């Protein structure tokens, strides 16, 4: 039973760009699926259509027997984004807040930011945030400002922040594209740990093929908004 079924997914932006031209594939529970493709091939659009950061213009995304493209109220979409978390290329932390506060913010991201501004976090919220910071090896930085950390450290904080929602799926949009090669491996190793130890299904956009072969359990390639390869990372040369 797949955790996600993507059927004929289409996205045409208001300016007429057809970013996805009918993409279909299944995502298996627990897999580490990597999406590859040149810049502009539709990778980021695809991820954003899976958690409704963007609204698809056609097709279906089946998650727990429900077509998420049909969700319409903001509370339904918030609910979806708790179950399908996301991290980004540029980390998107709040720079002048502490690492701990950034992680706690994840718990409130889809409720109210006032609670966080007022510092109304419970001890159990803090303990949970620290648990996730420990998982990504960065608990000792909890009280440092986010903008004092290196890029790789900031991405690990972003992973911890996403985990506070207890997601079943984690979307990673070019998570290592702005990091140096050594740091890429560290961040990817933590994503793998999240995948293996917590059983969270990971769907990750990457453009370094060397990383794909190491981390992916399965690969999908996009070209011009169409799926051109699906299969084993060992054979990705066929994708081009
Ligand atoms: P990738 O992640 O593979 O680089 P994107 O999904 O970002 O590809 O982009 C796919 C296509 O859609 C590109 O032609 C891009 O310029 C276009 N695009 C992306 N976002 C938007 C947007 N918000 N409005 C209009 N066009 C967009
Ligand atoms: P990021 O690193 O956050 O993915 P991008 O440069 O890919 O940054 O995109 C930044 C924003 O611009 C995104 O919201 C994306 O949807 C939008 N965008 C990308 N390409 C286009 C485009 N051709 N026209 C309009 N908006 C675009």
């Amino acid at each position: 039973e797949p955790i996600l079924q993507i059927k004929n997914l289409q996205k045409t932006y208001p300016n007429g760009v057809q970013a996805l031209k009918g993409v279909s594939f299944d995502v298996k529970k627990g897999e580490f699926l990597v999406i590859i493709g040149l810049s502009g091939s539709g990778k980021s659009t695809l991820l954003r259509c899976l958690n409704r950061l963007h609204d698809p213009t056609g097709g279906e995304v089946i998650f727990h027997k429900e077509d998420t493209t049909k969700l319409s109220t903001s509370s339904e979409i918030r609910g979806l984004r708790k179950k399908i978390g996301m991290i980004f290329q540029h980390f998107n932390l709040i720079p002048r807040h502490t690492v701990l506060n950034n992680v706690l913010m994840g718990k409130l991201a889809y409720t109210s930011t006032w609670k966080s501004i007022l510092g109304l976090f419970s001890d159990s919220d803090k303990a949970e945030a620290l648990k996730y910071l420990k998982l990504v090896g960065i608990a000792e930085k909890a009280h440092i400002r986010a903008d004092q950390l290196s890029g790789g450290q900031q991405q690990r904080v972003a992973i911890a922040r996403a985990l506070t929602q207890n997601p079943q799926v984690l979307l990673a949009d070019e998570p290592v594209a702005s990091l140096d090669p050594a740091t890429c491996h560290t961040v990817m190793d933590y994503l793998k740990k999240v995948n293996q130890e917590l059983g969270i299904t990971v769907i990750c956009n990457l453009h370094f093929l060397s990383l794909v072969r190491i981390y992916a359990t399965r690969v999908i390639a996009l070209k011009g908004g169409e799926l051109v390869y699906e299969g084993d990372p060992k054979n990705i040369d066929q994708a081009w």
Side-chain angles (χ1 to χ4, degrees):
E1 172 93 348
I3 191 161
L4 282 166
Q5 290 172 278
I6 290 94
K7 299 182 182 177
N8 194 27
L9 192 66
Q10 296 160 52
K11 174 65 181 179
T12 303
Y13 285 105
N15 63 358
V17 172
Q18 278 184 282
L20 297 175
K21 299 175 183 166
V23 170
S24 303
F25 61 95
D26 287 353
V27 182
K28 301 184 184 91
K29 193 170 185 303
E31 75 176 332
F32 198 115
L33 179 67
V34 169
I35 302 171
I36 59 172
L38 298 176
S39 182
S41 59
K43 304 182 298 296
S44 180
T45 301
L46 174 55
L47 285 193
R48 284 158 203 244
C49 284
L50 299 184
N51 71 346
R52 291 290 301 274
L53 221 45
H54 284 337
D55 294 333
T57 47
E60 298 174 15
V61 177
I62 309 296
F63 181 54
H64 294 297
K65 304 193 194 309
E66 191 175 27
D67 180 4
T68 65
T69 69
K70 300 287 188 293
L71 298 177
S72 57
T73 68
S74 58
S75 86
E76 286 172 330
I77 291 171
R78 274 202 305 275
L80 177 70
R81 291 189 191 146
K82 287 185 188 179
K83 295 181 200 133
I84 304 184
M86 194 165 191
I87 62 170
F88 303 89
Q89 175 177 351
H90 298 295
F91 328 127
N92 299 0
L93 301 181
I94 303 171
R96 296 164 72 90
H97 279 238
T98 65
V99 164
L100 183 63
N101 246 335
N102 269 278
V103 176
L104 286 165
M105 227 65 95
K107 267 207 112 54
L108 304 167
Y110 305 113
T111 53
S112 156
T113 50
W114 289 107
K115 198 172 161 189
S116 59
I117 289 163
L118 297 171
L120 299 176
F121 295 112
S122 70
D123 285 345
S124 77
D125 285 344
K126 288 181 190 167
E128 193 192 10
L130 279 169
K131 179 183 81 180
Y132 291 127
L133 282 170
K134 207 169 277 171
L135 187 91
V136 295
I138 205 164
E140 80 283 0
K141 307 276 189 199
H143 300 290
I144 292 175
R145 257 172 55 166
D147 56 8
Q148 310 281 305
L149 302 185
S150 70
Q153 291 170 333
Q154 290 192 40
Q155 193 60 290
R156 285 149 65 187
V157 176
I159 294 170
R161 179 179 58 184
L163 293 178
T164 62
Q165 294 287 343
N166 229 336
Q168 296 166 18
V169 178
L170 181 61
L171 309 175
D173 192 4
E174 297 284 358
V176 297
S178 18
L179 305 175
D180 64 72
T183 310
C184 283
H185 282 276
T186 309
V187 169
M188 291 302 295
D189 284 339
Y190 281 113
L191 274 179
K192 193 83 194 171
K193 186 177 178 191
V194 162
N195 171 245
Q196 293 184 327
E197 288 185 15
L198 304 182
I200 295 174
T201 305
V202 175
I203 310 176
C204 179
N205 290 349
L206 284 181
H207 64 259
F208 296 127
L209 291 189
S210 57
L211 291 174
V212 179
R213 293 194 182 86
I214 299 171
Y215 295 98
T217 57
R218 206 159 60 90
V219 173
I220 277 173
L222 295 182
K223 188 177 176 184
E226 290 177 292
L227 193 149
V228 292
Y229 176 82
E230 176 174 6
D232 195 305
K234 284 201 280 293
N235 306 324
I236 45 174
D237 295 329
Q238 294 170 17
W240 306 107

